Amino acid sequence: MASPTVFMPPRHYLNDGYGIKSWLLTRDHKRIALLYLASVTFFFFLGGAMAVLIRLELATPVGDLVTDETYNKLFTMHGVMMVFFFLIPAIPSVLGNFLVPIMIGAKDLAFPKLNLASWYIYVIGATFTTYSLVTGGLDTGWTFYTPFSTVASSSNVISAALGIFITGFSSILTGLNFIVTIHRMRAPGMTWFRMPLFMWSIYATSLIMVLGTPVVAITIVLVAAERLFHFGFFDPRVGGDPVLFQHLFWFYSHPAVYIMILPAMGVISELVAAFCRKQVFGYKFVAFASVAIAVLGFLVWGHHMFVAGISVYAALVFSILSFLVAVPSAVKVFNWTATMYKGSVSWQTPMLYAIGFIGLFTIGGLTGLFLAAVGLDVHVTDTYFIVAHFHYIMVGGTIMGYLGGLHYWWPKISGRLYNEFLAKISAAIIFVGFNLTFFPQFILGYLGMPRRYHAYPPEFQVLNVLSSAGASILGVGYLLPMIYLMWSLRYGRIAGSNPWGAVGLEWTTTSPPPTENFAETPIVTWEAYDYQAPVEHHVA
Amino acid sequence: MAGRVDNLYFFLLAISIFFSVLIAGLIVFYAIRYRRRDPDSVGTVLHGMMALEVGWTVIPFIISMVIFVWGASVFFAISRPPDETLNIYVVGKQWMWKFQHLDGQREINELHVPVGRPVKLIMTSEDVIHDVFVPAFRVKADVIPGRYTNLWFQPTKPGRYHLFCAEYCGTRHSGMTGEVIVMEPSEFQTWLSGGAPEGSLASAGAKLFQDLACNTCHRPDAQGRGPVLEGLFGKTVQLQSGETNTVDEAYVRESILNPAAKVAAGFQPIMPTFQGLVTEEQLLELVEYVKSLQALPQVQTR
């Protein structure tokens, strides 16, 4: 990897215009990616701060740190911020925005102005929701279940819902932009099956964003309308059905889980290939597994409702379909593992995140089987078992993938290298802290501790203390990258165009890339992850 | 039931441990065995192996289906109560549980049941969605406003067990807890007869039936403007719409609150709604009264 010609290019997207206007009016997908990076990082730490308070409260069985009302608002806003303003946009809008055009050899996304508009829509939506937070908060849980959200809650349901509604359009437009770009803007020779797997997962994710998000938007409008005008869609007193809301909500929000995890899976495919210097084992199977997950994801929403009074047979149909999702997920895990076989396995930071992801996603996925088995789900649903399961997927999966990707492409984004030692340490801290936080919650759930409880019976305290201790370690693990990545912007070593010795179009251009990404449009004559040919051959 | 759920749980735990250890073991082994020693080395080219891909698609599929069938059979047992059950009514409201025994005993946040007998809870909510969860019995069911849901269990050991509300229901959600107190049958009988000042549920229903003047139309002699209710519960009735409907708790409840929804064939839709005039608890009394009406026109009291 010792390349003699590392240099900072004289002209790149970061010095192509200075001042606030050059950022706020930019149409460069790379700058927009950085706008998103700043925004989602803000919401990550805001949501994280709420998690800190939640874990502090739960260190003791009695509700003594905050009132029950405040506690309910904390977990609600933690969920809303993390899901809608961090997890859903994080990988697609930051890494996807930066990489989709570069990875397929394009100058920009298909609709650069729309891309900027998507960021503004996100900011406006996030502002509404933040407004509802500072003016009294929201206590419905991020799931907005009716009739609690429509008739009982006295918190700011409408402004929070409006914020999520608006942000949904950002998702839809970003998805649309990616779909059109991947269809229309691929460089000559970049066939579908020569695309990096990250592009396949972004494509599958974009399909869900475009098809699913309108449903949650409509559902949220119904909740707001019912609150304002008492239409009675969900009110049994006038013939409505409160459970109807759950069908509508999960019809989007289950696919939304795949909006969060599929891009992370794509990142992991890139990391495993780059740090084993080897083509991903079973490329086509991994690619089609992404599409299969996206499609099946739309057919399993009822597994959130096994105890919500749906019929026995409906539950069985949703159960068997949920098991089917396990198959493509397992295929991916096996293929990643097989990619390491006879690879040239580097232990650099992004690979540590990839390994962490595979391990944690495996546990998250396997515990999903517990929940799909309907007779067992009855006992563990609505307990800490669920909380642990989805944090293994969302935090152990998505955030591990996001951080791994951020470390992998950071030299491309910034042109500089971060401190490898600190990065390895913090990856280890995150892994340990994560498991200590969430593994005890599986046990708590099986023992019967319900979720969303401000106070709990004293026999659950030991496991809760372990979890809170883990959370404090995890918090440190998340703060460290924030510090050393910022530090590297000024003091990091110059990266050069290909610090990892990786293949892929993004490594053929300078770090940071020029505004137009490539000096001339690349012509692709090689397969994805072609590590056998000499490294120079793919410089266009 | 707890045993069946736990067996499935430990089976899944074994599968999870096997695959977690397998994957983690392979990753660690490969990471060490194929560690990059020369900074310029690349991986060996391996062409995908169809047999492997098919294998690790089919094997997880088969395992999934085994778990599915097992989970489904446990679920059937959880959702199908036996024919003979001790029925207890449950009304959830923010933030308390109200239990009504057929004999008239009422309890709040405490539920006394006898050991060894299947118990069926017939549940509804006065406001938002709640959920009865008894971890020791491995059962849980949402309690939904506007309808009845059921939950059944058969306690096997006397003792006190946690009862939680498992569906988030607002400010004092975590305070909406209680205890299931499982007693020896004889103790339970003593407890049950330890004072039920208001008489049985059905007799309270009978009084309400008079007070609300239901009896002017629903007369046992078939001379009223409404259907005869005696002996009706559990039967299948022909509806105006041509459909048929089984008379269960939900149908009685709906017919009181929304009489025009499913009018019995041969009758005019003239009954007024009692929406807002009767509480959920009074509805349960009326339901229990209708249930108690045998074909012989007399009120059966226990």
PDB file of all heavy atoms in Angstrom, chain A residues 123-145:
ATOM      1  N   VAL A 123     -34.289  19.232   6.349  1.00  0.00           N
ATOM      2  CA  VAL A 123     -34.035  20.208   7.414  1.00  0.00           C
ATOM      3  C   VAL A 123     -35.341  20.828   7.901  1.00  0.00           C
ATOM      4  O   VAL A 123     -35.555  20.990   9.105  1.00  0.00           O
ATOM      5  CB  VAL A 123     -33.049  21.285   6.932  1.00  0.00           C
ATOM      6  CG1 VAL A 123     -32.964  22.432   7.931  1.00  0.00           C
ATOM      7  CG2 VAL A 123     -31.678  20.666   6.693  1.00  0.00           C
ATOM      8  N   ILE A 124     -36.239  21.125   6.965  1.00  0.00           N
ATOM      9  CA  ILE A 124     -37.517  21.720   7.369  1.00  0.00           C
ATOM     10  C   ILE A 124     -38.307  20.727   8.225  1.00  0.00           C
ATOM     11  O   ILE A 124     -38.836  21.068   9.286  1.00  0.00           O
ATOM     12  CB  ILE A 124     -38.337  22.139   6.120  1.00  0.00           C
ATOM     13  CG1 ILE A 124     -37.637  23.286   5.393  1.00  0.00           C
ATOM     14  CG2 ILE A 124     -39.749  22.562   6.522  1.00  0.00           C
ATOM     15  CD1 ILE A 124     -38.191  23.557   4.001  1.00  0.00           C
ATOM     16  N   GLY A 125     -38.363  19.477   7.775  1.00  0.00           N
ATOM     17  CA  GLY A 125     -39.075  18.450   8.545  1.00  0.00           C
ATOM     18  C   GLY A 125     -38.473  18.282   9.925  1.00  0.00           C
ATOM     19  O   GLY A 125     -39.181  18.242  10.940  1.00  0.00           O
ATOM     20  N   ALA A 126     -37.154  18.207   9.966  1.00  0.00           N
ATOM     21  CA  ALA A 126     -36.463  18.022  11.240  1.00  0.00           C
ATOM     22  C   ALA A 126     -36.721  19.209  12.161  1.00  0.00           C
ATOM     23  O   ALA A 126     -36.822  19.057  13.381  1.00  0.00           O
ATOM     24  CB  ALA A 126     -34.973  17.838  11.003  1.00  0.00           C
ATOM     25  N   THR A 127     -36.850  20.408  11.560  1.00  0.00           N
ATOM     26  CA  THR A 127     -37.108  21.603  12.364  1.00  0.00           C
ATOM     27  C   THR A 127     -38.470  21.517  13.045  1.00  0.00           C
ATOM     28  O   THR A 127     -38.615  21.845  14.226  1.00  0.00           O
ATOM     29  CB  THR A 127     -37.030  22.863  11.484  1.00  0.00           C
ATOM     30  OG1 THR A 127     -35.789  22.830  10.786  1.00  0.00           O
ATOM     31  CG2 THR A 127     -37.134  24.124  12.318  1.00  0.00           C
ATOM     32  N   PHE A 128     -39.462  21.052  12.298  1.00  0.00           N
ATOM     33  CA  PHE A 128     -40.795  20.896  12.888  1.00  0.00           C
ATOM     34  C   PHE A 128     -40.755  19.937  14.079  1.00  0.00           C
ATOM     35  O   PHE A 128     -41.328  20.205  15.130  1.00  0.00           O
ATOM     36  CB  PHE A 128     -41.775  20.339  11.852  1.00  0.00           C
ATOM     37  CG  PHE A 128     -42.553  21.402  11.146  1.00  0.00           C
ATOM     38  CD1 PHE A 128     -42.138  21.889   9.925  1.00  0.00           C
ATOM     39  CD2 PHE A 128     -43.698  21.913  11.725  1.00  0.00           C
ATOM     40  CE1 PHE A 128     -42.853  22.874   9.283  1.00  0.00           C
ATOM     41  CE2 PHE A 128     -44.423  22.908  11.081  1.00  0.00           C
ATOM     42  CZ  PHE A 128     -43.994  23.393   9.853  1.00  0.00           C
ATOM     43  N   THR A 129     -40.076  18.832  13.874  1.00  0.00           N
ATOM     44  CA  THR A 129     -40.052  17.844  14.948  1.00  0.00           C
ATOM     45  C   THR A 129     -39.249  18.350  16.135  1.00  0.00           C
ATOM     46  O   THR A 129     -39.619  18.137  17.285  1.00  0.00           O
ATOM     47  CB  THR A 129     -39.498  16.513  14.409  1.00  0.00           C
ATOM     48  OG1 THR A 129     -40.285  16.139  13.281  1.00  0.00           O
ATOM     49  CG2 THR A 129     -39.584  15.422  15.434  1.00  0.00           C
ATOM     50  N   THR A 130     -38.146  19.053  15.852  1.00  0.00           N
ATOM     51  CA  THR A 130     -37.358  19.622  16.946  1.00  0.00           C
ATOM     52  C   THR A 130     -38.183  20.675  17.689  1.00  0.00           C
ATOM     53  O   THR A 130     -38.125  20.775  18.910  1.00  0.00           O
ATOM     54  CB  THR A 130     -36.065  20.255  16.400  1.00  0.00           C
ATOM     55  OG1 THR A 130     -35.459  19.326  15.520  1.00  0.00           O
ATOM     56  CG2 THR A 130     -35.104  20.587  17.513  1.00  0.00           C
ATOM     57  N   TYR A 131     -38.991  21.424  16.917  1.00  0.00           N
ATOM     58  CA  TYR A 131     -39.871  22.418  17.532  1.00  0.00           C
ATOM     59  C   TYR A 131     -40.822  21.739  18.521  1.00  0.00           C
ATOM     60  O   TYR A 131     -41.001  22.191  19.647  1.00  0.00           O
ATOM     61  CB  TYR A 131     -40.656  23.149  16.443  1.00  0.00           C
ATOM     62  CG  TYR A 131     -41.873  23.896  16.942  1.00  0.00           C
ATOM     63  CD1 TYR A 131     -41.750  25.170  17.489  1.00  0.00           C
ATOM     64  CD2 TYR A 131     -43.137  23.311  16.882  1.00  0.00           C
ATOM     65  CE1 TYR A 131     -42.868  25.838  17.969  1.00  0.00           C
ATOM     66  CE2 TYR A 131     -44.256  23.963  17.362  1.00  0.00           C
ATOM     67  CZ  TYR A 131     -44.121  25.225  17.903  1.00  0.00           C
ATOM     68  OH  TYR A 131     -45.219  25.882  18.389  1.00  0.00           O
ATOM     69  N   SER A 132     -41.401  20.613  18.095  1.00  0.00           N
ATOM     70  CA  SER A 132     -42.338  19.943  19.003  1.00  0.00           C
ATOM     71  C   SER A 132     -41.612  19.392  20.230  1.00  0.00           C
ATOM     72  O   SER A 132     -42.199  19.243  21.292  1.00  0.00           O
ATOM     73  CB  SER A 132     -43.089  18.826  18.280  1.00  0.00           C
ATOM     74  OG  SER A 132     -42.201  17.879  17.772  1.00  0.00           O
ATOM     75  N   LEU A 133     -40.329  19.126  20.058  1.00  0.00           N
ATOM     76  CA  LEU A 133     -39.531  18.664  21.199  1.00  0.00           C
ATOM     77  C   LEU A 133     -39.330  19.782  22.219  1.00  0.00           C
ATOM     78  O   LEU A 133     -39.563  19.599  23.415  1.00  0.00           O
ATOM     79  CB  LEU A 133     -38.174  18.164  20.699  1.00  0.00           C
ATOM     80  CG  LEU A 133     -37.113  17.888  21.757  1.00  0.00           C
ATOM     81  CD1 LEU A 133     -37.428  16.593  22.479  1.00  0.00           C
ATOM     82  CD2 LEU A 133     -35.728  17.795  21.128  1.00  0.00           C
ATOM     83  N   VAL A 134     -38.908  20.956  21.737  1.00  0.00           N
ATOM     84  CA  VAL A 134     -38.584  22.027  22.683  1.00  0.00           C
ATOM     85  C   VAL A 134     -39.829  22.714  23.234  1.00  0.00           C
ATOM     86  O   VAL A 134     -39.770  23.403  24.239  1.00  0.00           O
ATOM     87  CB  VAL A 134     -37.626  23.079  22.064  1.00  0.00           C
ATOM     88  CG1 VAL A 134     -36.286  22.461  21.749  1.00  0.00           C
ATOM     89  CG2 VAL A 134     -38.221  23.727  20.834  1.00  0.00           C
ATOM     90  N   THR A 135     -40.978  22.523  22.590  1.00  0.00           N
ATOM     91  CA  THR A 135     -42.191  23.158  23.113  1.00  0.00           C
ATOM     92  C   THR A 135     -43.080  22.168  23.848  1.00  0.00           C
ATOM     93  O   THR A 135     -44.285  22.294  23.837  1.00  0.00           O
ATOM     94  CB  THR A 135     -43.009  23.790  21.976  1.00  0.00           C
ATOM     95  OG1 THR A 135     -43.282  22.750  21.025  1.00  0.00           O
ATOM     96  CG2 THR A 135     -42.280  24.933  21.322  1.00  0.00           C
ATOM     97  N   GLY A 136     -42.475  21.160  24.451  1.00  0.00           N
ATOM     98  CA  GLY A 136     -43.292  20.290  25.296  1.00  0.00           C
ATOM     99  C   GLY A 136     -43.139  18.821  25.008  1.00  0.00           C
ATOM    100  O   GLY A 136     -43.478  17.985  25.823  1.00  0.00           O
ATOM    101  N   GLY A 137     -42.631  18.485  23.813  1.00  0.00           N
ATOM    102  CA  GLY A 137     -42.314  17.087  23.556  1.00  0.00           C
ATOM    103  C   GLY A 137     -43.473  16.273  23.034  1.00  0.00           C
ATOM    104  O   GLY A 137     -44.580  16.775  22.813  1.00  0.00           O
ATOM    105  N   LEU A 138     -43.168  14.994  22.859  1.00  0.00           N
ATOM    106  CA  LEU A 138     -44.108  14.049  22.268  1.00  0.00           C
ATOM    107  C   LEU A 138     -44.037  12.792  23.122  1.00  0.00           C
ATOM    108  O   LEU A 138     -42.950  12.353  23.479  1.00  0.00           O
ATOM    109  CB  LEU A 138     -43.665  13.754  20.828  1.00  0.00           C
ATOM    110  CG  LEU A 138     -44.436  12.688  20.064  1.00  0.00           C
ATOM    111  CD1 LEU A 138     -45.812  13.221  19.701  1.00  0.00           C
ATOM    112  CD2 LEU A 138     -43.689  12.282  18.806  1.00  0.00           C
ATOM    113  N   ASP A 139     -45.201  12.219  23.461  1.00  0.00           N
ATOM    114  CA  ASP A 139     -45.146  11.062  24.370  1.00  0.00           C
ATOM    115  C   ASP A 139     -45.873   9.847  23.819  1.00  0.00           C
ATOM    116  O   ASP A 139     -46.344   9.007  24.569  1.00  0.00           O
ATOM    117  CB  ASP A 139     -45.712  11.439  25.747  1.00  0.00           C
ATOM    118  CG  ASP A 139     -47.218  11.621  25.712  1.00  0.00           C
ATOM    119  OD1 ASP A 139     -47.783  11.732  24.606  1.00  0.00           O
ATOM    120  OD2 ASP A 139     -47.842  11.634  26.783  1.00  0.00           O
ATOM    121  N   THR A 140     -45.963   9.721  22.504  1.00  0.00           N
ATOM    122  CA  THR A 140     -46.745   8.615  21.938  1.00  0.00           C
ATOM    123  C   THR A 140     -45.902   7.389  21.631  1.00  0.00           C
ATOM    124  O   THR A 140     -46.428   6.383  21.187  1.00  0.00           O
ATOM    125  CB  THR A 140     -47.402   9.048  20.616  1.00  0.00           C
ATOM    126  OG1 THR A 140     -46.340   9.382  19.690  1.00  0.00           O
ATOM    127  CG2 THR A 140     -48.286  10.250  20.794  1.00  0.00           C
ATOM    128  N   GLY A 141     -44.609   7.454  21.847  1.00  0.00           N
ATOM    129  CA  GLY A 141     -43.725   6.438  21.297  1.00  0.00           C
ATOM    130  C   GLY A 141     -43.534   6.745  19.819  1.00  0.00           C
ATOM    131  O   GLY A 141     -44.385   7.409  19.210  1.00  0.00           O
ATOM    132  N   TRP A 142     -42.432   6.266  19.214  1.00  0.00           N
ATOM    133  CA  TRP A 142     -42.205   6.645  17.810  1.00  0.00           C
ATOM    134  C   TRP A 142     -43.229   5.987  16.909  1.00  0.00           C
ATOM    135  O   TRP A 142     -43.369   6.332  15.749  1.00  0.00           O
ATOM    136  CB  TRP A 142     -40.781   6.281  17.363  1.00  0.00           C
ATOM    137  CG  TRP A 142     -40.554   4.839  17.037  1.00  0.00           C
ATOM    138  CD1 TRP A 142     -40.305   3.838  17.915  1.00  0.00           C
ATOM    139  CD2 TRP A 142     -40.564   4.225  15.732  1.00  0.00           C
ATOM    140  NE1 TRP A 142     -40.160   2.647  17.243  1.00  0.00           N
ATOM    141  CE2 TRP A 142     -40.311   2.856  15.898  1.00  0.00           C
ATOM    142  CE3 TRP A 142     -40.757   4.721  14.431  1.00  0.00           C
ATOM    143  CZ2 TRP A 142     -40.258   1.957  14.838  1.00  0.00           C
ATOM    144  CZ3 TRP A 142     -40.702   3.819  13.372  1.00  0.00           C
ATOM    145  CH2 TRP A 142     -40.453   2.450  13.585  1.00  0.00           C
ATOM    146  N   THR A 143     -44.014   5.036  17.479  1.00  0.00           N
ATOM    147  CA  THR A 143     -44.976   4.284  16.695  1.00  0.00           C
ATOM    148  C   THR A 143     -46.351   4.955  16.603  1.00  0.00           C
ATOM    149  O   THR A 143     -47.201   4.486  15.851  1.00  0.00           O
ATOM    150  CB  THR A 143     -45.150   2.889  17.300  1.00  0.00           C
ATOM    151  OG1 THR A 143     -45.300   3.036  18.716  1.00  0.00           O
ATOM    152  CG2 THR A 143     -43.926   2.028  17.054  1.00  0.00           C
ATOM    153  N   PHE A 144     -46.603   6.004  17.361  1.00  0.00           N
ATOM    154  CA  PHE A 144     -47.843   6.802  17.238  1.00  0.00           C
ATOM    155  C   PHE A 144     -49.117   5.964  17.331  1.00  0.00           C
ATOM    156  O   PHE A 144     -50.091   6.259  16.641  1.00  0.00           O
ATOM    157  CB  PHE A 144     -47.874   7.544  15.887  1.00  0.00           C
ATOM    158  CG  PHE A 144     -46.933   8.714  15.798  1.00  0.00           C
ATOM    159  CD1 PHE A 144     -45.647   8.543  15.315  1.00  0.00           C
ATOM    160  CD2 PHE A 144     -47.337   9.984  16.186  1.00  0.00           C
ATOM    161  CE1 PHE A 144     -44.779   9.626  15.225  1.00  0.00           C
ATOM    162  CE2 PHE A 144     -46.479  11.068  16.086  1.00  0.00           C
ATOM    163  CZ  PHE A 144     -45.196  10.886  15.610  1.00  0.00           C
ATOM    164  N   TYR A 145     -49.130   4.898  18.143  1.00  0.00           N
ATOM    165  CA  TYR A 145     -50.302   4.023  18.140  1.00  0.00           C
ATOM    166  C   TYR A 145     -51.576   4.774  18.499  1.00  0.00           C
ATOM    167  O   TYR A 145     -51.628   5.547  19.457  1.00  0.00           O
ATOM    168  CB  TYR A 145     -50.105   2.876  19.139  1.00  0.00           C
ATOM    169  CG  TYR A 145     -49.479   1.634  18.533  1.00  0.00           C
ATOM    170  CD1 TYR A 145     -48.735   1.710  17.354  1.00  0.00           C
ATOM    171  CD2 TYR A 145     -49.629   0.397  19.125  1.00  0.00           C
ATOM    172  CE1 TYR A 145     -48.157   0.578  16.796  1.00  0.00           C
ATOM    173  CE2 TYR A 145     -49.056  -0.744  18.579  1.00  0.00           C
ATOM    174  CZ  TYR A 145     -48.313  -0.646  17.410  1.00  0.00           C
ATOM    175  OH  TYR A 145     -47.748  -1.773  16.867  1.00  0.00           O
TER     176      TYR A 145
END
